[in-house]
Amino acid sequence: MYSFILPLLMAAPPEGAEMGAGSLLSSFIPFIAVILIFYFLIIRPQSKKRKETEKMISALKKGDRVVTIGGLYGTIQSVKETTVIMKVDDNVKLEFLRSAISSVISQAASKEDKEKIEEKTVEKEKSEGQSSESGV
């Protein structure tokens, strides 16, 4: 497959031919193409992922359920400037750098969210109670 490309690349220009502006431009086109491919396939996705990770780390708050880079699961108890204190078990609290948090499993629910969840469960229990009474 490459046997026809190699002689083309190694061929010397004909005698008396001078390098013109067109041939100079055509020799830079493959380099420009490689740079564009690297940008769109490697550099750009990596920078997007880095920005998402920084956003996730800056949005950490008390009550978030998280996983560390080492694989520890826990709940954030307090957030400091560069570290977080994570509750791993009933009596076990560990302090980690914010950058050691790999992902957030579940966000801490705000008071409004908790109230909505409670209202839905109460409504569900009422509807289940009515359906069981009518079924008797």
Side-chain angles (χ1 to χ4, degrees), residues 57 67-70 96-103:
I57 288 174
V67 178
T68 65
I69 292 173
F96 288 96
L97 288 173
R98 281 181 172 232
S99 60
I101 304 298
S102 172
S103 62

Side-chain angles (χ1 to χ4, degrees), residues 67-136:
V67 178
T68 65
I69 292 173
L72 286 171
Y73 286 78
T75 306
I76 295 180
Q77 293 298 306
S78 67
V79 179
K80 298 179 183 177
E81 189 173 324
T82 58
T83 62
V84 294
I85 296 179
M86 190 171 80
K87 184 177 180 181
V88 180
D89 198 14
D90 291 334
N91 297 324
V92 180
K93 293 181 183 176
L94 301 172
E95 188 170 4
F96 288 96
L97 288 173
R98 281 181 172 232
S99 60
I101 304 298
S102 172
S103 62
V104 176
I105 298 171
S106 63
Q107 298 284 329
S110 65
K111 290 182 181 179
E112 295 173 357
D113 293 338
K114 288 179 183 178
E115 290 172 2
K116 288 179 184 178
I117 292 170
E118 288 176 6
E119 289 174 7
K120 288 181 182 179
T121 55
V122 169
E123 290 175 7
K124 185 177 179 183
E125 289 172 358
K126 285 182 182 178
S127 65
E128 287 177 356
Q130 291 175 355
S131 63
S132 65
E133 290 174 5
S134 62
V136 174

Side-chain angles (χ1 to χ4, degrees), residues 2 5 9 24 44 47-48 55 78 82 90 105 120:
Y2 296 109
I5 296 175
L9 293 174
L24 184 63
R44 189 169 175 227
S47 66
K48 277 186 174 181
K55 183 179 176 183
S78 67
T82 58
D90 291 334
I105 298 171
K120 288 181 182 179

Side-chain angles (χ1 to χ4, degrees), residues 11-42:
E15 289 184 32
E18 295 182 17
M19 298 278 296
S23 63
L24 184 63
L25 179 64
S26 66
S27 65
F28 282 118
I29 288 177
F31 293 115
I32 294 170
V34 167
I35 290 171
L36 288 174
I37 289 170
F38 270 103
Y39 176 75
F40 283 108
L41 294 179
I42 297 173

